[in-house]
């Protein structure tokens, strides 16, 4: 990759820098681990850790805030807020905070946090596949007992192989959004030492691969304008970048080569690279956040550029013969 782009990526918060060092810059483990350790003491990670409530939650709620004792820096209160416990845990885990920094949090949440849906206990999850996927990964990370959630995914898979958060309303076809979030949570559970999830993942990964990660099975047309939209932070929405990032990580976990059916999705991602080798921030979710961690809409995004470049380097190094590179 371009040296100027790599230097730009390295000139970032420790939450991103250690990942760039490890996955793009070829730094030795001592170097990137040292940077990773800084996430809990400076920058984004330290700021978010400081916002944790005394009862182990953030903003007094599991998925939605009930109390906000610290000012927010961006967004409105009319849209979905991104302040509560689940969103904080997702970010801290994604940024590489060691679970030991949050020692005791799993027990605190078991005692104090209930889902807004039916007042269910936090580590038992609820009815939403996306929420349960995040809870599965976060629980494994923090040492909570989430074995029941693993069984939940086996019991709630759709006949076509994936999941749909609206199953409670009678939906019987898998959702791109729900299926990807479920797959990511299952994979992360396994990466964190929770045991193999490959048997659970395989039908859902085939569901998405059979559609080239972005097309309707019925027409072969893009499933929606949102499929190629890029935005960071990653939340519940599907995007071809998030899907490719999962497929890359799953292939490395499972020891499998890139699937040739990914080529058009790779081309779609590559087409969004700007002339100077970066990817631009798309729309930003309008709800309140504690603080901003990436660029404004339309500006070059370090987080998106990192994820996109990592996917393309994996593909270009290991893609099937004859697949386009560069």
């Amino acid at each position: 990759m371009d040296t100027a782009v790599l230097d730009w990526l390295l000139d970032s918060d420790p939450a991103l820098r250690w990942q760039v060092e490890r996955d793009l810059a070829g730094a030795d483990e001592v170097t990137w681990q040292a940077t990773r350790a800084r996430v809990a003491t400076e920058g984004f990670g330290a700021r978010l850790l400081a916002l944790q409530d005394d009862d182990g939650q953030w903003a007094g709620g599991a998925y939605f805030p009930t109390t906000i004792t610290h000012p927010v820096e961006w967004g409105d209160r009319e849209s979905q807020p991104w302040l509560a416990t689940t969103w904080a845990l997702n970010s801290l885990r994604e940024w590489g905070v060691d679970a030991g920094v949050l020692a005791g949090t799993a027990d605190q949440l078991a005692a104090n946090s209930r889902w807004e849906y039916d007042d269910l206990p936090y580590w038992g999850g609820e009815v939403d596949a996306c929420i349960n996927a995040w809870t599965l990964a976060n629980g494994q990370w923090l040492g909570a007992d989430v074995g029941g959630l693993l069984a939940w995914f086996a019991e709630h898979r759709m006949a076509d192989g994936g999941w749909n958060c609206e199953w409670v309303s009678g939906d019987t076809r898998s959702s791109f959004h729900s299926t990807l979030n479920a797959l990511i949570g299952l994979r992360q559970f396994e990466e964190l030492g929770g045991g193999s999830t490959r048997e659970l993942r395989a039908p859902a990964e085939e569901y998405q691969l059979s559609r080239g990660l972005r097309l309707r099975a019925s027409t072969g047309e893009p499933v929606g304008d949102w499929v190629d939209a890029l935005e960071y932070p990653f939340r519940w929405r599907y995007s071809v970048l998030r899907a490719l990032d999962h497929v890359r990580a799953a292939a490395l976990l499972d020891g499998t080569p890139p699937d040739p059916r990914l080529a058009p999705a790779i081309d779609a991602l590559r087409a969004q690279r700007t002339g100077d080798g970066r990817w631009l921030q798309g729309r930003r979710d309008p709800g309140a956040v504690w603080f901003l961690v990436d660029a404004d809409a339309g500006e070059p995004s370090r987080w998106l550029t990192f994820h996109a470049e990592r996917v393309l380097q994996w593909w270009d190094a290991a893609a099937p013969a004859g697949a386009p590179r560069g």
Side-chain angles (χ1 to χ4, degrees), residues 94-232:
E94 177 183 323
W95 295 340
V97 171
D98 187 273
V101 174
L102 287 159
T105 293
D107 290 339
Q108 285 184 298
L109 296 180
N112 303 318
S113 191
R114 313 285 294 191
W115 292 107
E116 291 79 8
Y117 181 92
D118 278 359
D119 198 39
L120 294 169
Y122 191 82
W123 294 120
E126 45 124 291
V127 300
D128 185 286
C130 299
I131 289 174
N132 286 351
W134 298 319
T135 308
L136 179 70
N138 289 334
Q140 181 62 27
W141 171 50
L142 294 180
D145 180 4
V146 288
L149 280 175
L150 195 62
W152 186 95
F153 281 98
E155 294 165 0
H156 291 81
R157 194 204 326 264
M158 298 285 162
D160 56 9
W163 290 270
N164 191 323
C165 293
E166 297 302 321
W167 69 270
V168 291
S169 300
D171 284 11
T172 59
R173 300 177 63 184
S174 295
S175 155
F176 268 61
H177 305 286
S178 303
T179 298
L180 179 60
N181 285 315
L183 282 171
I184 292 172
L186 288 165
R187 187 201 80 235
Q188 291 171 337
F189 171 84
E190 182 172 346
E191 290 171 337
L192 290 161
S196 177
T197 61
R198 190 169 184 179
E199 186 175 342
L200 265 177
R201 289 187 283 111
E205 288 169 344
E206 179 58 29
Y207 164 83
Q208 295 194 330
L209 283 167
S210 69
R211 292 157 174 78
L213 302 188
R214 54 193 299 276
L215 305 176
R216 294 185 185 277
S218 56
T219 65
E221 296 296 318
V223 69
D225 292 342
W226 45 263
V227 75
D228 293 319
L230 304 181
E231 59 179 317
Y232 187 86

Side-chain angles (χ1 to χ4, degrees), residues 290-313:
W290 294 118
F291 51 87
L292 294 176
V293 298
D294 202 8
D296 289 329
E299 296 297 319
S301 161
R302 284 181 170 85
W303 285 97
L304 293 173
T305 298
F306 162 69
H307 282 92
E309 188 64 41
R310 183 171 65 174
V311 164
L312 294 183
Q313 288 195 15

Side-chain angles (χ1 to χ4, degrees), residues 15-16 19 44 48 74-75 80-83 86-92 94-95 134 180-181 184 229-239 241-242 245 280-297 299-307:
L16 176 58
Q19 298 182 73
F44 301 152
L48 191 53
W74 189 86
Q80 159 78 61
W82 313 104
L83 305 171
T86 295
W87 303 110
L89 293 180
N90 288 353
S91 293
L92 292 169
E94 177 183 323
W95 295 340
W134 298 319
L180 179 60
N181 285 315
I184 292 172
L230 304 181
E231 59 179 317
Y232 187 86
F234 299 138
R235 293 195 173 104
W236 63 268
R237 286 187 181 82
Y238 184 98
S239 73
L241 173 56
R242 285 192 71 214
D245 193 56
L280 304 181
Q281 177 78 281
R283 67 179 296 280
R284 273 213 300 238
D285 291 307
V289 299
W290 294 118
F291 51 87
L292 294 176
V293 298
D294 202 8
D296 289 329
E299 296 297 319
S301 161
R302 284 181 170 85
W303 285 97
L304 293 173
T305 298
F306 162 69
H307 282 92

